[in-house]
Amino acid sequence: MVSKTLIEKAREFHGHICPYVVLGLRASEIAMQRLNIKKASEAETVNEDIIAIVECNNCFADGVQVATGCTFGNNGLIYMDTGKNAVTLVRRRDWKGIRVYVDSEKMKKRYFSEEASRLFEKVIARREGTSEDQERLRKLWNEIGFALRDAPEEIFKIEEVKISPVERAPIFETVKCDLCGELVMKTRAKVVNGKTLCQTCAGSCNAVVGRGIVLDFKTPFEKRL
Ligand SMILES: [Zn+2]
Ligand SMILES: [Zn+2]
């Protein structure tokens, strides 16, 4: 059962309570219990001893970060762009992991009212909701989120997995961009016409945006003011 304290931490981090942020908390809790580990501590976050592999960049991924302590910034979080609501929690010590996948069909059947599904379509999917619709959906999202605190294992697929070793984040050499003068990881710099350029100056880089990983994403800084 996800504690109310954890829900409040998730609200603070994610900005709101919704079904998938709570599912992220609950799925992490199930995986942590099965692996017999707690939220990554100071030493573990520094050493990347525990890794969470998420397969989507949505509300669920924020729940995972709050519950496990494996975050984007401490390199405990690995993002696999498969587009599924799933988390695999892994111990580096023995590369044993637990993967928890949310069966959204089963979950919605149990927790989403007809009104919630309809409003989701209108407000989130089509972005056509009025301010009343948005307010009503916010309320429903809170209710469903709280109801999902003790979501039963039947709405998930839970499996034990053996993971092949994943590298720790390396420290790279730094070079200076010949155009903007900013320091940049050597592995990210490009050589164009004999000049060393950062990818911002070169015009594109890989990026994680709403729809997932985009290769060769055009850098969006139109002008530096
Ligand atoms: Zn959310
Ligand atoms: Zn530059």
Side-chain angles (χ1 to χ4, degrees):
M1 165 89 123
V2 175
S3 71
K4 285 195 171 156
T5 320
L6 195 59
I7 297 240
E8 287 315 314
K9 279 187 186 160
R11 191 199 301 277
E12 207 174 288
F13 182 72
H14 182 59
H16 60 260
I17 291 302
C18 62
Y20 280 92
V21 79
V22 179
L23 284 164
L25 300 173
R26 179 74 180 127
S28 302
E29 182 177 77
I30 291 171
M32 289 193 290
Q33 272 165 3
R34 297 237 177 159
L35 277 180
N36 200 17
I37 54 175
K38 292 198 163 59
K39 181 178 171 176
S41 66
E42 187 168 341
E44 287 156 346
T45 49
V46 172
N47 296 328
E48 302 163 25
D49 286 336
I50 298 167
I51 304 169
I53 303 172
V54 291
E55 300 185 32
C56 50
N57 60 331
N58 60 9
C59 306
F60 183 84
D62 274 357
V64 169
Q65 292 182 81
V66 170
T68 64
C70 299
T71 69
F72 180 66
N74 68 21
N75 295 121
L77 190 76
I78 292 179
Y79 170 47
M80 265 177 33
D81 193 8
T82 64
K84 298 190 210 180
N85 289 303
V87 58
T88 305
L89 206 62
V90 189
R91 284 193 306 234
R92 252 184 213 284
R93 177 157 54 83
D94 52 8
W95 294 106
K96 191 181 151 188
I98 301 288
R99 181 174 184 269
V100 184
Y101 159 83
V102 181
D103 188 325
S104 290
E105 280 179 350
K106 284 187 189 161
M107 185 279 291
K108 284 180 182 163
K109 219 174 257 173
R110 204 184 254 249
Y111 291 94
F112 277 34
S113 61
E114 191 273 323
E115 185 193 13
S117 305
R118 188 173 46 77
L119 277 176
F120 176 80
E121 262 310 299
K122 190 175 175 193
V123 178
I124 311 281
R126 300 202 308 269
R127 299 188 189 272
E128 287 171 1
T130 62
S131 53
E132 289 92 78
D133 290 336
Q134 284 176 12
E135 182 53 28
R136 178 70 189 139
L137 184 63
R138 200 187 59 76
K139 223 172 149 246
L140 287 172
W141 255 196
N142 255 276
E143 283 169 21
I144 300 171
F146 271 89
L148 282 163
R149 285 170 65 203
D150 58 352
E153 297 195 352
E154 296 94 82
I155 69 156
F156 301 97
K157 183 170 94 184
I158 304 165
E159 50 196 342
E160 201 173 298
V161 287
K162 180 84 182 151
I163 299 289
S164 35
V166 179
E167 62 169 34
R168 282 190 165 83
I171 306 292
F172 290 112
E173 213 184 301
T174 301
V175 293
K176 199 174 260 188
C177 171
D178 284 335
L179 216 66
C180 68
E182 292 184 2
L183 295 173
V184 55
M185 277 156 61
K186 196 176 177 185
T187 52
R188 296 297 182 280
K190 285 181 179 170
V191 178
V192 182
N193 297 330
K195 282 196 186 324
T196 300
L197 295 186
C198 73
Q199 295 185 47
T200 316
C201 291
S204 69
C205 61
N206 299 337
V208 176
V209 297
R211 72 186 129 110
I213 296 172
V214 177
L215 301 181
D216 222 16
F217 178 72
K218 190 176 166 296
T219 49
F221 307 109
E222 277 189 27
K223 208 197 278 176
R224 291 190 140 139
L225 304 171

